[in-house]
Amino acid sequence: MAQVLGVLSTPGGTVAAVESLKQAGFDNLEVYSPVPSHAIEHALGKGPSWVRLWTLIGGLTGVATGYLMTIWMAYDSGVVIGGKPFASIPAYTIIAFELTILFGGVLTVLGLMAHGLLRTARRDPVYRPSFSNDEFGCLVRCHSDQIPRVQELLQGAGSMEVRVVEG
Amino acid sequence: MTTDVVQPSSLPRGPALLFGVLALVGLVTLFYGLFADSERTYRVFLHNWLLWAALSQGALVLSAAFRLTNASWQGPIHRVVDSLAAYVPLSLVLFGVIYLGRHELFEWTRHPIHGKEWWFSEGFTFIRDTIALLWMTLISGFYVYLSVRPLLGEARENTSGSRLALYQRWTAGWRGEAAERELAVRRLRKLAAVLVLSYVLAYSLLAIDLIMSLAPHWVSSMFPAYYAWGGFLSAISMTALLCVLMRNSEGLRGEITTNRLHDLGKMIFAFSIFWMYLFWSQYIVIWYGNMPEETSFILARLGSQFLQDTWYLEGFWTRLAEPYVKITLLAWILLWVVPFWVLLGQRPKKTPAILGTVAFGSVLGFWIERYVLVTPSLVPPESGAAPNTLLAPLGGIEVGLALGFLGLFFLCFLTFGHVFPGLLPAKSGVR
Amino acid sequence: MAAITEPVAANANQINQDILRVLTPPSSLYVISVLLLMGVVGAGVAALAYQTWKGFGVTGLNHPVMWGVYITSFVFWVGIAHAGTLISAILYLFRAKWRSAINRGAEAMTVFAVITAALFPLIHIGRLWKVYFMLPYPNQRGLWVNFKSPLIWDVFAVNTYMIISILFLYVGLIPDIAAARDKCTDWRRNLYNILALGWRGTAEQWRHHARTVLHLSGLATPLVLSVHSVVSWDFAVSLVPGWHTTIFAPYFVAGAIFSGMAMVITLMVPVRKAFGLEAHIRSEHFDNMGKFIVLTSSIVAYSYAIEFFMAWYSANPFEQGSFWHRAFGDYWWATWIMIICNVVIPLPLWIKRVRVNVVALWVISIFINLGMWFERFVIITTGLSHEYNPAAWGYYTPSWVELTILLASFAWFLMWFLLFLRIFPIVAIQEVKESHYETQEEGAH
């Protein structure tokens, strides 16, 4: 498997490069970008992120914890306060609400780490510092005899630099 | 010359006939009801009036909000919104009926409330409310005039008759299309701020005078804002409903894009959550404080189940069968539970059938909610009721008057589109 | 537009440079300021130690006013925290692009304001070493915390808010930390290396990142409403005249956004000047912030009016007495400071020329900060000092201990803000660049 990297200067150019590569049948792409871009994401054609599932699980756990914890603890203490019933649902709704947000939020960030960060935290020979500044990278993984074709496509899309990287 | 302005069409015959008949039904019911059971008729009239007045005025507030936030996503939707305000002057006229029924409706006209004698006195109350409604009508008219004017320059070339006369009057001192548009944007933005402020103040006042005064010892500082917010939300729901229904009509074809439906869905979703928040903020304080002068209002509507010492599972169903409880819960379900859970995802917001159904449910929910705000104060549940009764019947007078208001409202809406052009600009149009 | 006369960043590289330049070694003025602030914080710590040693008698708190400067400051700082979430989350959901220039500063401010706020209940407890009593933990008494108490709601709300706002700030920072990492050469490189968590800006990472930001915004928006609502219920669910009123929750939330937005202006105007960020924080941003001030000031004014009206309308002599006392009683001066600062002084902001005048806006924002502190003081102190029984009415004067700690809280907040400024990018680089590319591409079409 060979890797070809094209360095581009704008999100628009990157989208064009991705589109032309996709059309030519190269699907194993990776894009480096200093900014988030819907257009690039759309061009790469990836589905929605799994992070949403983490939020859902966190939120449901939170709401269940909130109600169960408060009701159980009130019964366990067994002290009547302010003439209110042990299971004072309106009061506990507030706790349940806060825990929904808390668990949902924490699990969302854990989801980000699990899917987006920690899994990809190993050293990356392709990465260069300018990718966090003002340059975009379009990395194509392809069979080694297709290198010239990929290079040509990347050049055609206006890459400032195209080179084969060791991987 | 740009041709992005749709010429006013003739009244669509089918709907116009339907709504005309409905309005007539309402009128007949009103007269019949006044002779048969005037107290009940005025009560029903008041609750319908409260719904439609706040809805049509709330629509203009929505339009103003678009202007103030420079929102551009809505495209031609704000023309639909402006047209909903055509009913505004009628709410002033129909307020006269409430004045006629003041002795049947308001206990304080018969027995002055200690400590509030001058606030709730016939003269002062109805004069200030009339002034508030008159002021709202005037600035709403001016707002619509400014909003429509830039479109008339081109339209007057192709019109004749009385419409032409109107157009000419409204385009006096024409400065040319581009200049007019720019001027309109600038003036409307200023007027929009005034309109929103006036709405909040005027409808807070109406909420105090026409709803809170029905139970004159009950106090809640949230209630006026809650009612005004309801008007705004009902206008959004109505807008979404109309956009869905009219998405294939002549002027809107191709304009109600998936993105716009999505944005409308998001608005209903977010603002119904906010409605729930206001409702909850009022409820939790009253629930916790548990003082009779505050809980009486909740007790009459939600029954004893949801008060402080009764959140128990035993007897749940018996308490649920208390008068008005189920219908109150139905309003709550239509106004928050359904919009929240159905519109949570992205796809339902973009599906016209689902969005339209939720929006319809929300408008219906507001009709029920207004019923619940008014009726239990006038026909209180403590007069010993069998389970699951409404106490106040839902019969011919209720249905007839509701249909009458509905017909009248949409007659105004259709007439507006008939008289003025640009209700539906064919391209992205007026910014 | 006024923005045209101001410098606009030419390209992404320059944006990167401009914003990261703030991180270069500090001037002596900066070091002196930080040291000075640390000194004031030290004085506050000393006052707290004194209070803890001698007991709560060294404060002015006594019957009937048992909640004073500490609780006032708690509510004030929680309120300040709100603008951050508003700007980050709500404006993100509404796709308001102008937020990008100020959202980082506001998010950082949120975190430090919540941390400052969270100190005050601890200070107010008196017996600091019993702090853990607030959490539900198994104990020999067989008792759990009372979840029906609004104060426990507060524990959950404020802690949730603190954690979520830290996460929100951090998630937004990750790509910018990576940008700083790639330019940094000194000791901070290791710090950035760890904190960037291997960020390389791949499309895969951005995809999860965008989802995370979206969901955190969706969660933080109701959270921000709930936090100050819960704070308001600390008062509203009691039966104290002047406290027990249903509008408190939205009224407090509007006030919180109002004061928070004012604090953002108070902080960002000097930062913009000191670090030459004029190209990135422009007058259109101030214009929009000014509009927010106008909106929230109107809501606050409406709430003041409706509160007074409903007190009269209730025909309840205690309620009426409390509000008469508020406006014309012992604390009339505090009430009128509040009304003038929050309602009257912001009025010129209805005019655009004033909104884009940075100096005028800045001065007004300082008055609002003052006014909003007094608003909480008025609510808390006048309510308690004038309850049902005339024999139990009283007057509260804060002692030097309380005032020292109050002053120290400002120093503490500013100190963290200044330290943050030099370690992390104070403007969201990725977002400014994103807008830059978007305008560029729009121009190309």
Side-chain angles (χ1 to χ4, degrees), chain A residues 12 31-33 44 46-47 49 52 55 73 76-77 85 92 97-98 112 116 120 124 127 132-134, chain C residues 13 16 144 148 153 181-183 200-208 211-212 215 223 226 433 437 441:
Chain A
V31 170
Y32 297 86
S33 153
L44 285 169
K46 289 185 174 168
S49 154
R52 64 206 174 118
T55 315
M73 285 181 180
D76 191 50
S77 295
Y92 301 162
F97 174 85
E98 300 299 340
L112 168 70
T120 55
D124 181 354
Y127 183 76
S132 70
N133 184 2
D134 59 349
Chain C
N13 184 36
N16 216 44
W144 301 98
K148 284 155 217 149
W153 303 347
R181 170 197 67 193
D182 294 340
K183 290 275 175 196
R200 288 170 296 144
T202 60
E204 183 70 7
Q205 287 178 330
W206 277 120
R207 185 165 72 101
H208 297 303
R211 226 344 126 151
T212 308
H215 281 205
L223 177 65
S226 85
K433 276 189 212 161
Y437 282 124
E441 301 210 332

Side-chain angles (χ1 to χ4, degrees), chain C residues 69-349:
Chain C
V69 164
Y70 294 152
I71 302 295
T72 301
S73 307
F74 164 70
V75 180
F76 174 77
W77 284 113
V78 177
I80 293 296
H82 276 52
T85 316
L86 176 98
I87 292 171
S88 310
I90 301 182
L91 297 184
Y92 177 83
L93 293 180
F94 277 93
R95 286 178 274 164
K97 281 284 167 208
W98 61 272
R99 74 188 258 289
S100 62
I102 47 168
N103 72 329
R104 176 66 43 72
E107 282 165 29
M109 196 192 82
T110 293
V111 170
F112 303 132
V114 186
I115 291 173
T116 312
L119 291 177
F120 276 101
L122 309 188
I123 297 169
H124 187 82
I125 283 171
R127 289 187 287 173
L128 269 171
W129 55 95
K130 298 287 188 199
V131 157
Y132 62 94
F133 274 28
M134 290 194 285
L135 300 172
Y137 65 98
N139 57 70
Q140 287 176 317
R141 300 182 300 280
L143 288 178
W144 301 98
V145 291
N146 172 21
F147 286 109
K148 284 155 217 149
S149 162
L151 303 180
I152 290 298
W153 303 347
D154 241 355
V155 173
F156 278 78
V158 172
N159 282 315
T160 301
Y161 195 41
M162 184 155 69
I163 293 168
I164 296 291
S165 54
I166 288 172
L167 290 179
F168 203 101
L169 172 68
Y170 178 55
V171 167
L173 262 174
I174 291 173
D176 285 3
I177 292 178
R181 170 197 67 193
D182 294 340
K183 290 275 175 196
C184 181
T185 48
D186 60 10
W187 62 273
R188 284 175 295 193
R189 195 179 161 84
N190 290 323
L191 178 74
Y192 295 147
N193 244 332
I194 295 165
L195 289 177
L197 293 178
W199 182 267
R200 288 170 296 144
T202 60
E204 183 70 7
Q205 287 178 330
W206 277 120
R207 185 165 72 101
H208 297 303
H209 186 265
R211 226 344 126 151
T212 308
V213 173
L214 179 71
H215 281 205
L216 282 181
S217 305
L219 291 169
T221 302
L223 177 65
V224 75
L225 286 184
S226 85
V227 172
H228 226 61
S229 301
V230 168
V231 171
S232 83
W233 293 328
D234 288 348
F235 309 103
V237 300
S238 74
L239 295 179
V240 176
W243 285 12
H244 185 73
T245 182
T246 48
I247 204 174
F248 252 35
Y251 158 39
F252 268 50
V253 171
I257 294 170
F258 181 49
S259 64
M261 197 56 96
M263 187 60 97
V264 172
I265 296 171
T266 310
L267 292 182
M268 290 314 267
V269 167
V271 166
R272 168 181 187 256
K273 182 88 193 146
F275 300 108
L277 293 174
E278 280 90 349
H280 310 293
I281 307 174
R282 294 191 299 272
S283 49
E284 71 219 51
H285 302 123
F286 289 112
D287 186 27
N288 282 320
M289 285 190 269
K291 283 181 189 166
F292 256 97
I293 298 269
V294 168
L295 173 71
T296 43
S297 164
S298 308
I299 300 178
V300 166
Y302 172 86
S303 306
Y304 293 165
I306 205 100
E307 258 196 313
F308 272 93
F309 173 79
M310 284 294 170
W312 171 79
Y313 178 90
S314 71
N316 176 338
F318 302 109
E319 202 65 39
Q320 290 173 343
S322 178
F323 276 87
W324 182 265
H325 173 72
R326 183 179 287 189
F328 306 111
D330 295 339
Y331 294 102
W332 63 270
W333 47 274
T335 307
W336 291 101
I337 289 178
M338 147 188 133
I339 291 176
I340 290 169
C341 288
N342 295 343
V343 179
V344 181
I345 291 181
L347 282 180
L349 292 178

Side-chain angles (χ1 to χ4, degrees), chain B residues 345-400:
Chain B
Q346 227 180 60
R347 203 160 305 149
K349 293 192 195 99
K350 294 177 172 175
T351 313
I354 297 177
L355 180 68
T357 312
V358 172
F360 173 75
S362 176
V363 175
L364 181 68
F366 271 109
W367 187 83
I368 299 173
E369 192 249 13
R370 285 357 181 179
Y371 169 89
V372 169
L373 291 183
V374 168
T375 316
S377 295
L378 293 171
V379 191
E382 49 261 28
S383 43
N388 285 320
T389 44
L390 282 174
L391 294 182
L394 257 178
I397 294 182
E398 282 74 10
V399 174

